[in-house]
């Protein structure tokens, strides 16, 4: 909403973990669709049962198709963010950046804004990401 007036024509892309992409599926269906599971993702901070009553109509107006990322893409993004950007991002906070890095063909336009946030990451999980992709 903050960019709507100053960046007319922009397209929001929802980014979610694979198998927990209730918003992307809801946008495609034109109505809210629930996730069948609420646990089992390393991106637990952003897993929700279904899109919110207030936010879903806004997303229907402003969002394009959603993007779902794999846990491997999230782990690699966490390692890349640490190595290249010198920041620590938690799995849920790495999802948008993972979408930009690994699903760029799905994006349109010359400018992409991806929010990377949250440093609340389990030490063992972060170490796994660095070992695997660092």
């Amino acid at each position: 909403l903050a960019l709507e007036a100053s960046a007319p024509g922009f397209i929001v892309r929802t980014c979610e973990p694979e198998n927990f992409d209730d918003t992307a599926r809801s946008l495609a269906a034109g109505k809210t669709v629930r996730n069948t599971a609420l646990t089992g993702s390393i991106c637990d901070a952003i897993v929700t049962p279904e899109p919110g009553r207030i936010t879903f109509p806004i997303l229907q107006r402003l969002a394009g198709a959603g993007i779902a990322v794999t846990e491997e893409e999230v782990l690699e993004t966490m390692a890349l963010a640490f190595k290249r950007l010198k920041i620590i991002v938690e799995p849920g906070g790495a999802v948008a950046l993972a979408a930009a890095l690994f699903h760029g063909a799905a994006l349109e336009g010359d400018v992409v804004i991806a929010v990377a946030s949250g440093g609340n990451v389990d030490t063992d999980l972060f170490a796994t990401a660095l070992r695997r992709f660092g």
Side-chain angles (χ1 to χ4, degrees), residues 50-67:
E50 65 187 32
R53 283 189 326 250
I54 295 171
T55 56
F56 186 63
I58 295 167
L59 289 172
Q60 284 183 298
R61 186 168 50 86
L62 298 177
I67 300 171

Side-chain angles (χ1 to χ4, degrees), residues 67-80:
I67 300 171
V69 299
T70 67
E71 291 195 349
E72 287 295 305
E73 291 167 340
V74 169
L75 289 171
E76 187 169 354
T77 299
M78 291 168 61
L80 285 168

